[in-house]
Amino acid sequence: MKIAFFSTKPYDKEFFEKENEKYGFELNFYETHLGPHIVNAIENEDAVCVFVNDRLNREVIEVLAQKGVKLIALRCAGFNNVDIDAAKELGIQICRVPAYSPEAVAEHTMAMLLTLNRKTHKAYNRVREQNFALNGLLGFNLYQKKIGVIGTGKIGKAFVKIALGFGAEVIAYDLYPDQTLLDLHVKYVDLDTLFAESDIISLHCPLTPENHYLINKESLDKMKNGVTIINTSRGNLIHTNDAIKALKERKIGLLGIDVYEQEEKLFFKDLSTTIIEDDTIQLLMSFPNVLLTAHQAFFTREALEQISQRTLKSIADLLKDGTTDKEVLL
Ligand code: NAD
């Protein structure tokens, strides 16, 4: 069986080749994203394995179907980049990795919050230059702050538990409140209440047509002045230009983003010797109270092991008899 991997990096190859010792598939690794520009070059592949910034729209999926591809395996949790209806109509199965170390993303979320809050990124640079002054490094306690969590699925829940460990008060919004969090005295509120009351807001819901630009001028206006916002979920949950305006107006006090609206042109690449033409990200990077990481939240050894294990198991099951565990199928 042949599987074409797109958007691959050396670490993908390392973890998948190791796991593939159990299966003996033919794995072909391509660095390029899968999209209209490359899909015609695919020949004799049983499955394609894609990541967050591959774009599988109807046009791409139609060509995959013509080429005899039977399966799209997403090696990530989110699936907003795949036209699911088109794949279903054309008889291509889709699987994903719904859970791979939610703690990896939750811990990175807290790392971003603590970095911004206690300015450790600035302290690190200062001390290396023998500047031991504290001016400008004043932070605030998380203890007894109100943290609003939007989306309390696997990652949101892991983050809530970490936040509770810091002695923060957690309020949450989700379409389906989680009983274990209710038992931990987490209060579910409506979105407007969460916006109005939270000192810190952390986004852990998937990107859907309904919540596209959830954080925009209108919702920002409802928030406390100086609110901290962390987004480790998907870039399009935040209207970036509205967020920039809110940073200039001091409405947003701290912003941590691991995901960015236009990330597919930038993230996972070393662009250190090129001129970046995206003025918006350049402006964001210039703010002292903005922390950007490049879709790194998932990136732990444990998560990569689980991604390769789950993905190859799903592919093996589906290509063999068309079924696998229900929760991985879309
Ligand atoms: P999950 O499916 O376990 O949980 C998502 C939760 O969001 C569910 O409880 C769902 O009811 C809720 N939800 C759906 N729509 C909502 C809305 N409009 N408002 C509020 N809540 C809503 O997913 P998860 O594993 O916790 O992952 C969450 C998201 O994290 C993924 O969709 C993905 O976008 C993102 N993610 C990012 C990284 C990273 O490296 N930065 C890695 C993995 C996942």
Side-chain angles (χ1 to χ4, degrees), residues 50-116:
V50 296
F51 196 49
V52 292
N53 290 325
D54 293 295
R55 287 277 158 263
L56 283 83
N57 57 16
R58 180 172 287 273
E59 178 191 350
V60 169
I61 289 172
E62 279 172 357
V63 179
L64 290 178
Q66 283 161 20
K67 299 266 180 181
V69 170
K70 295 182 268 307
L71 171 63
I72 296 167
L74 285 146
R75 54 180 191 280
C76 53
F79 48 88
N80 51 289
N81 52 333
V82 179
D83 187 331
I84 310 279
D85 294 338
K88 284 191 175 154
E89 278 169 35
L90 293 161
I92 299 184
Q93 286 189 297
I94 315 171
C95 62
R96 63 173 180 139
V97 188
Y100 53 91
S101 188
E103 292 76 18
V105 182
E107 288 173 15
H108 188 79
T109 306
M110 184 48 91
M112 294 192 90
L113 178 53
L114 284 173
T115 305
L116 280 164

Side-chain angles (χ1 to χ4, degrees), residues 167-305:
E169 183 187 342
V170 178
I171 56 174
Y173 170 76
D174 195 302
L175 311 172
Y176 307 99
D178 181 272
Q179 189 55 46
T180 53
L181 294 187
L182 288 168
D183 294 343
L184 292 169
H185 308 293
V186 170
K187 198 166 124 202
Y188 279 87
V189 295
D190 60 45
L191 260 185
D192 280 355
T193 307
L194 186 142
F195 290 146
E197 291 187 0
S198 302
D199 301 301
I200 295 149
I201 295 176
S202 194
L203 305 180
H204 298 289
C205 52
L207 175 67
T208 64
E210 293 74 41
N211 64 18
H212 190 263
Y213 290 156
L214 176 71
I215 306 299
N216 58 16
K217 184 182 170 355
E218 201 188 337
S219 53
L220 284 161
D221 283 346
K222 295 175 185 161
M223 295 178 198
K224 286 188 178 178
N225 289 333
V227 64
T228 296
I229 301 177
I230 310 287
N231 184 12
T232 54
S233 205
R234 281 293 178 266
N236 287 58
L237 290 172
I238 298 187
H239 188 295
T240 311
N241 285 328
D242 285 359
I244 287 174
K245 201 154 174 281
L247 281 158
K248 288 183 179 166
E249 289 166 352
R250 317 293 195 267
K251 169 60 86 175
I252 299 180
L254 297 170
L255 177 67
I257 54 174
D258 184 53
V259 285
Y260 168 62
E261 277 193 76
Q262 306 295 337
E263 70 176 53
E264 71 181 76
K265 297 195 196 96
L266 303 167
F267 285 10
F268 309 117
K269 296 176 189 153
D270 178 0
L271 302 177
S272 53
T273 56
T274 56
I275 307 239
I276 292 178
E277 294 190 15
D278 180 335
D279 295 344
T280 309
I281 200 154
Q282 296 284 27
L283 182 55
L284 271 177
M285 289 190 294
S286 73
F287 288 100
N289 50 348
V290 173
L291 178 69
L292 263 156
T293 53
H295 212 130
Q296 181 190 336
F298 74 100
F299 198 54
T300 66
R301 177 159 292 283
E302 291 79 2
L304 291 191
E305 278 165 4

Side-chain angles (χ1 to χ4, degrees), residues 17-24 309:
E17 282 187 336
K18 182 159 187 303
E19 183 62 18
N20 193 40
E21 286 167 13
K22 288 188 200 152
Y23 297 96
Q309 285 163 4

